[in-house]
Amino acid sequence: MDYQTVYDNLKKSYRHEQLKLFEQVFAFAEEAHRNQLRKSGEPYISHSLAVADYLGNHLHMDMNTVVAGLLHDVPEDTSKTLEDIRKNFGEQIAFLVAGVTKLGQIKLRNQKDENYIETMRKMFLAMATDIRVVLIKLADRRHNMLTLQYLPKDKQERIARETREVYAPIADRLGMGELKGELEDLTFPALEPKEYAWLLDLVKERYEEMQGYVDRAREIIVKDFQEAGIKYVDISGRAKHLYSLYQKLLRAKYDRDLGKIYDLVALRIITRSLEDCYTCLGVLHSKYRPLPGRIKDYIAFPKPNGYRSIHTTVFGPERRILEIQIRTQEMHQEAEYGIAAHWAYVEKGKPKTGALAQPKQLEWVNQLRDWQKEIGSDSEEFIESLKIDFFKNRIFVFTPKGDVKDLPEGATPLDFAFLVHSNLGLHAMGARVNNKMAKLTDELENGDVVEIISGKEPRASRDWLRFVKTSNARGKIRSYLNKHQKGWFTGLIPKLPFINKK
Ligand code: MN
């Protein structure tokens, strides 16, 4: 990774003053790390440069984030301090570097011990303060994984495990599908060397053969679209990430049989508009019979991490099974870069400061910050809430107006009510689910339309704490009770049925 190449690429997207800042910060970082070497034998600055390159030329983050990438190891590993950075380059950049340094002090020892959750917790708290810190840390980890082979075996394993258990899920939750896949692939040879070698060998021939087929299918579909008068942005083949292929093969229904995998190489169609996605789907289905049950409309029903696309599997050209993914350019950007896609080129427009605009799908980041304020970040309950809300599968339910709400599996109408508004939750009396009367305690299912019936007076009671599933609802109920039911029964003592009897 050489400076000139990185710089020339940055020139394509950043303004003059920003490039000037990059030059200055680079000179500072280069001097700070001078005479330090990576384990690979390269000058240390090559690592900082690789991190900045990914943030700038790949994710197109704002320039403060890019230069914070250049500086991310300076306070920890050189004689220059955070104070020096603040004096030279200002509060914003120092704040980002400080955040990354803090995150770097957390190490995962054993995925089963409590430090694991602790790591997750701290990562997320950092994220709630400024998500850019997390993106720098992910870029740092990505480059460390790319140069993993130079480290001793035991260290390789620890870092790879941490990457798989902590960093990849975070990239996933941020909608950064490409990075998640890349990180996971890099952990594979370090953690399961034999399995990796087995799969690589197995896949090689079949992959080339499949790639050839997808290329031929592509030509034919291009003609189909021409005949139908459909314009598109791009049609190309897309190979599945190796580790996600491996996980799929391990599932009982595939039984390690590569022949049962149809999306080893998929065809990806990038359209000009949302309408075109459905037009393309229509044309494809009229020419090629779709396999039943394989059409997934993630545009109408995005995944919890915001992923949008239409997937279908058809009997394609040559009567072979072919998976096709259809999405707009915007959806594609979001699917690959997730939350980072929302920063792309922000510097070209108005610079955003402070709490950056967050896409709607990431409302949970704000929720997290609220709970933390309410419950306190060190409490058991907070850690517990992360476990539950982060790891459980999510469901989508709708308000009567059609707004989508994202809840954990097993959530009740009461959880839904609190998610819509604290007051709606506190005043809830009953619910209508899909137009039928339901109890506040019933379990909601994916796709339910939920309407809350509320009364004039708040009805929140301690009993509610027993059946709500989200920490959001629990926190709001508890803080209401604390305000309105002061006295001898506090905190965690459950309300016993006989206490009120005379
Ligand atoms: Mn680093």
Side-chain angles (χ1 to χ4, degrees), residues 10-207:
L10 289 173
K11 272 205 242 170
K12 294 175 199 157
S13 328
Y14 294 88
R15 290 193 310 254
H16 181 71
E17 318 90 80
Q18 295 160 349
L19 293 166
K20 265 268 158 315
L21 176 66
F22 185 83
E23 284 170 41
Q24 285 162 8
V25 174
F26 179 79
F28 177 93
E30 200 272 331
E31 195 193 307
H33 285 297
R34 195 164 294 166
N35 298 327
Q36 290 178 350
L37 295 179
R38 293 278 286 177
K39 287 278 185 313
S40 62
E42 284 193 284
Y44 198 94
I45 194 70
S46 65
H47 166 66
S48 322
L49 201 55
V51 172
D53 177 58
Y54 187 72
L55 292 166
N57 291 324
H58 205 81
L59 297 183
H60 306 295
M61 301 294 295
D62 61 300
M63 186 48 84
N64 279 351
T65 307
V66 177
V67 298
L70 281 177
L71 294 165
H72 79 273
D73 282 325
V74 164
E76 188 101 331
D77 297 341
T78 78
S79 60
K80 295 253 198 299
T81 64
L82 203 57
E83 206 34 60
D84 295 329
I85 292 173
R86 187 174 291 120
K87 261 189 272 158
N88 282 281
F89 306 115
E91 199 59 55
Q92 266 274 328
I93 294 168
F95 164 78
L96 292 172
V97 176
V100 183
T101 308
K102 243 191 273 164
L103 279 187
Q105 285 155 354
I106 310 158
K107 294 236 160 61
L108 176 74
R109 277 168 206 95
N110 175 343
Q111 57 168 325
K112 286 193 185 87
D113 79 14
E114 55 199 334
N115 287 318
Y116 174 60
I117 297 302
E118 184 80 0
T119 307
M120 294 298 262
R121 178 170 75 89
K122 290 194 175 158
M123 293 283 293
F124 281 106
L125 291 185
M127 182 184 293
T129 331
D130 198 315
I131 219 148
R132 292 177 297 173
V133 168
V134 177
L135 295 180
I136 298 168
K137 196 65 200 157
L138 287 170
D140 175 39
R141 178 50 58 108
R142 176 180 168 275
H143 188 250
N144 286 337
M145 286 304 296
L146 285 169
T147 51
L148 197 65
Q149 79 241 50
Y150 301 105
L151 297 180
K153 269 267 155 342
D154 58 323
K155 224 174 165 190
Q156 282 189 23
E157 224 181 282
R158 181 184 66 73
I159 291 173
R161 181 146 320 273
E162 190 179 67
T163 302
R164 184 183 288 174
E165 305 291 349
V166 178
Y167 290 83
I170 287 173
D172 187 37
R173 201 69 173 91
L174 295 177
M176 305 174 78
E178 182 50 36
L179 180 60
K180 177 217 171 213
E182 198 182 354
L183 287 174
E184 282 183 343
D185 279 1
L186 291 165
T187 68
F188 196 11
L191 295 177
E192 292 100 357
K194 281 191 187 133
E195 292 289 90
Y196 175 76
W198 165 75
L199 185 57
L200 207 60
D201 192 47
L202 189 68
V203 114
K204 213 177 150 269
E205 209 175 301
R206 178 143 160 82
Y207 173 74

Side-chain angles (χ1 to χ4, degrees), residues 4 29 32 69 108 168 181 187 226 268 289 296 300 302 304 428 465 471 476 489:
Q4 203 52 49
L108 176 74
T187 68
Q226 267 165 7
R268 182 173 291 160
R289 194 154 57 84
K296 291 181 194 116
L465 292 172
S471 31
K476 283 170 178 166
F489 83 37

Side-chain angles (χ1 to χ4, degrees), residues 312-337:
T312 184
T313 306
V314 299
F315 292 99
E318 303 171 26
R319 304 202 56 74
R320 283 179 60 169
I321 291 175
L322 175 65
E323 183 177 295
I324 303 173
Q325 305 171 351
I326 310 167
R327 51 175 85 150
T328 65
Q329 209 155 16
E330 189 196 351
M331 292 172 197
H332 180 60
Q333 285 289 321
E334 282 181 12
E336 300 272 296
Y337 306 123

